[in-house]
Amino acid sequence: MKSVSLKKLFLLHSWVGIVTAILLFIVCFTGALAVLSRPELKIWANPELHQLNSVPSEKVTELINHYHTLVPKEFAENIHVYLPTGHNTHLLTILFESHDGDENYDEEAAYAYQFDPRNFELVNEYYGAAGYFYEHRKTDAPSFIGHFHADLHLGRPIGLILTGFLGLTLLVSTITGLFIHRQLIKELFTFRRKKELNVVVNDAHKIMGIWGSLFHGAIGFTGAFLGLATIILLPAAAFVSFGGDQDKLVAKFTAMPEPIITNDYQATDINTILIDAQARYPKAKIIDLTIMAHNDANAQVYLRLIGGDAVASQLLHYHGNGEFSKSMSSFGDIPGPAIKVLELLFPLHFGNFAGIFVKLIWALLGLSTALLPLSGMMMWLAKRSRGSNPTLSELAYQRWNRAIIGSCGGLVLATAILFPAQVLLNNLVPVQMHNAYFGPLFFYSWLAWCLLAVLPINYHRYLQVTMTLTGLACIAVLPLNLALSASHAFSANNLLMTVVDISFLFIGGLFIYVSQRLVAKQLNGVTAKATQEVTI
């Protein structure tokens, strides 16, 4: 009975992995990069943020008060300010929003003003639909990858549902994998790196799966929740508790309820509020603030903070006169352990709760999560193409390997190309045109590399070229920065640029080194096999 159950678990583990292997690799690989996309890589990608420490609260207050007088009255009651921290936008953005629109727009409309944080020069002015503004903000390579990880650029609901279900399949694969590997202690420490490639892949798959099982399970669960919450769980909760009315559910849990406007003038003391928040949480960063009923006696101000001693993001509530009210979670001031768990899901998924060291660990573990389904698929293919009665012909085995290299290796290559492209765009292309480049460059290069898999080329050579080109793309970042930019690895006043540029150089060299080692190992295997056949 026990052997039958293990066999069923093994079949479930195998087929879940085979069906979703490539998609899981795509989501997990981009997720590993998304861990570092905000704020580290986003700061690197935007010259406006290179020398920026903080934005003076007096200047923020001055700009809000000035432009508040320029917009129509219906836009002056809800103000959103996005500070240039690298977590959202690279520009200081002040957005005046009307939830009911105006004579030109039936739905939410906005006036937005964006300033260069280095000199506070107005660089962009917008009037129109609020949704359009948010969807068409300037992107960059890290943000593009982060958004791709979230919904594969398929949008809602399809993209979120797909990534949510992939999280579930990762969770299922992790649990079944632990049950079918009964010799856990032995396999924890078995890695025969000098054996042939199939043995190395087999050992690596087991080591990554067992050692990282807790991480893989947590990422699978949190990814499933974040992907499916707004698409499936939110409507389900509204159906159960509010008769299907999602607006009532959102209103119940909103952390920023609309205040009652008194029309009695009282200046909103934004400067005092910003200074007080930074004094209360000196290690945290204020990433945005929302001002409701500005300059009204009943004005309310909400500040969103990230980092510091808190694991999850915090929401600080102030009255307009500068009086501190309370600190709460993004879900609001709702008691109970369930809310505490919910607010931990996002930082647990992206590792942004304890500094850069934890984020680096999360990125490395994320890469191992991406390699798990890939190595599992390679094991499955190798098993069916070997032995006295193989079920997979040599020609089919070659095609499968080319398909994996084209789809997964092509994704890695397309991602690597974005970073030297970012340097070129920053220095050679007007900033307002950047958004037009990332999508075509990423998807067309990925598609071109996938189409190469159709050609009858040796898959070992295909893999070597893929890794070599990826390495060269990474290595190109530093020389391009040196040649075109004043801010690079050898700028004494920018440690982040130094670390990122040199990291790209190291990663590129590692790709080329590994590609040469893999080819050498394969050639040694072929030579040994030929020698054995001659001897026989």
Side-chain angles (χ1 to χ4, degrees):
M1 185 68 182
K2 184 177 180 181
S3 61
V4 173
S5 298
L6 284 173
K7 185 176 181 181
K8 290 180 178 178
L9 283 174
F10 183 80
L11 287 174
L12 176 63
H13 181 81
S14 299
W15 282 108
V16 166
I18 295 305
V19 171
T20 63
I22 292 176
L23 282 175
L24 268 176
F25 176 85
I26 292 169
V27 171
C28 293
F29 174 76
T30 53
L33 295 181
V35 168
L36 297 169
S37 66
R38 298 184 181 186
E40 292 82 11
L41 289 177
K42 190 171 183 67
I43 292 174
W44 171 86
N46 292 278
E48 295 89 346
L49 302 177
H50 289 177
Q51 310 302 329
L52 186 67
N53 293 319
S54 62
V55 179
S57 56
E58 299 88 352
K59 192 64 181 179
V60 174
T61 305
E62 177 189 332
L63 291 171
I64 293 172
N65 288 332
H66 173 69
Y67 285 92
H68 178 260
T69 63
L70 303 182
V71 300
K73 187 175 184 297
E74 60 266 32
F75 289 85
E77 294 171 0
N78 288 279
I79 308 171
H80 304 285
V81 182
Y82 301 96
L83 300 179
T85 60
H87 288 91
N88 37 50
T89 178
H90 68 295
L91 299 173
L92 172 61
T93 302
I94 302 175
L95 185 140
F96 299 87
E97 187 174 15
S98 171
H99 293 314
D100 300 321
D102 60 2
E103 66 274 9
N104 297 318
Y105 296 93
D106 295 330
E107 298 181 349
E108 293 183 358
Y111 281 86
Y113 303 92
Q114 294 186 297
F115 307 88
D116 190 323
R118 296 170 294 189
N119 52 23
F120 302 104
E121 177 185 345
L122 179 65
V123 295
N124 184 37
E125 186 174 349
Y126 172 86
Y127 163 68
Y132 185 88
F133 173 79
Y134 286 115
E135 290 173 7
H136 292 82
R137 286 181 295 177
K138 174 186 174 292
T139 191
D140 46 54
S143 298
F144 182 89
I145 294 167
H147 293 155
F148 183 77
H149 167 70
D151 61 6
L152 303 178
H153 284 276
L154 296 174
R156 297 186 180 192
I158 297 174
L160 289 178
I161 290 175
L162 181 56
T163 54
F165 276 109
L166 286 172
L168 289 178
T169 62
L170 176 60
L171 185 60
V172 170
S173 295
T174 301
I175 294 172
T176 55
L178 287 174
F179 275 102
I180 64 178
H181 292 295
R182 290 164 290 177
Q183 298 177 328
L184 290 178
I185 302 300
K186 179 181 177 182
E187 292 172 347
L188 275 172
F189 303 99
T190 301
F191 185 63
R192 294 160 288 183
R193 62 184 181 85
K194 294 185 178 181
K195 295 287 185 178
E196 62 184 33
L197 185 59
N198 290 333
V199 175
V200 174
V201 170
N202 191 309
D203 289 347
H205 179 81
K206 293 175 182 177
I207 287 176
M208 289 187 297
I210 297 171
W211 279 103
S213 56
L214 184 61
F215 175 83
H216 306 319
I219 291 299
F221 173 76
T222 55
F225 184 88
L226 294 174
L228 300 176
T230 57
I231 304 301
I232 295 177
L233 300 181
L234 183 62
F239 178 79
V240 172
S241 303
F242 296 90
D245 192 334
Q246 292 188 43
D247 292 334
K248 285 186 178 180
L249 176 65
V250 173
K252 174 70 176 177
F253 288 94
T254 184
M256 296 183 285
E258 294 281 350
I260 298 173
I261 299 175
T262 66
N263 291 318
D264 294 330
Y265 179 84
Q266 177 182 292
T268 304
D269 197 350
I270 300 169
N271 183 49
T272 297
I273 291 171
L274 289 170
I275 293 173
D276 181 78
Q278 203 63 75
R280 288 177 183 272
Y281 303 95
K283 296 181 181 179
K285 279 188 175 181
I286 304 171
I287 59 175
D288 60 60
L289 58 150
T290 299
I291 307 160
M292 295 181 172
H294 184 50
N295 288 341
D296 187 87
N298 199 27
Q300 308 294 317
V301 181
Y302 296 87
L303 281 71
R304 194 176 308 277
L305 278 67
I306 192 169
D309 297 327
V311 174
S313 62
Q314 302 177 77
L315 196 64
L316 305 188
H317 177 211
Y318 284 85
H319 299 296
N321 60 3
E323 178 187 354
F324 175 73
S325 174
K326 58 187 173 182
S327 172
M328 50 188 170
S329 75
S330 298
F331 297 96
D333 194 16
I334 304 173
I339 294 298
K340 298 296 183 184
V341 173
L342 287 177
E343 68 180 80
L344 293 177
L345 291 179
F346 191 86
L348 182 61
H349 189 74
F350 288 100
N352 55 351
F353 57 84
I356 186 63
F357 181 69
V358 169
K359 295 186 78 170
L360 289 172
I361 293 175
W362 247 241
L364 291 173
L365 288 172
L367 289 176
S368 73
T369 307
L371 291 173
L372 265 182
L374 206 58
S375 57
M377 192 170 187
M378 291 171 65
M379 290 162 55
W380 185 84
L381 291 172
K383 183 178 179 180
R384 278 150 183 78
S385 63
R386 302 289 186 267
S388 56
N389 190 25
T391 57
L392 196 67
S393 67
E394 183 63 27
L395 182 60
Y397 180 70
Q398 293 267 351
R399 288 173 177 169
W400 270 103
N401 277 285
R402 289 200 302 269
I404 293 172
I405 296 167
S407 55
C408 299
L411 171 73
V412 178
L413 176 59
T415 302
I417 289 173
L418 292 182
F419 291 98
Q422 180 73 68
V423 179
L424 292 172
L425 289 173
N426 285 346
N427 293 279
L428 302 176
V429 177
V431 68
Q432 62 270 21
M433 297 176 62
H434 286 196
N435 287 16
Y437 285 87
F438 290 105
L441 183 61
F442 177 79
F443 288 112
Y444 287 148
S445 58
W446 188 12
L447 176 63
W449 212 247
C450 288
L451 292 177
L452 280 179
V454 179
L455 301 177
I457 54 180
N458 182 280
Y459 73 89
H460 294 115
R461 181 62 62 184
Y462 191 24
L463 176 61
Q464 183 194 23
V465 173
T466 303
M467 296 190 73
T468 301
L469 289 177
T470 303
L472 291 174
C474 292
I475 289 173
V477 169
L478 178 56
L480 286 173
N481 251 333
L482 286 172
L484 301 174
S485 175
S487 184
H488 47 72
F490 303 108
S491 299
N493 56 351
N494 197 311
L495 179 60
L496 178 64
M497 291 296 294
T498 301
V499 171
V500 174
D501 280 356
I502 292 178
S503 296
F504 274 119
L505 186 67
F506 173 78
I507 292 169
L510 184 63
F511 263 99
I512 293 175
Y513 171 77
V514 171
S515 71
Q516 298 301 320
R517 291 286 296 173
L518 287 175
V519 171
K521 183 181 285 291
Q522 189 61 36
L523 289 175
N524 290 338
V526 172
T527 303
K529 184 177 180 180
T531 303
Q532 185 179 7
E533 290 176 353
V534 169
T535 304
I536 293 173

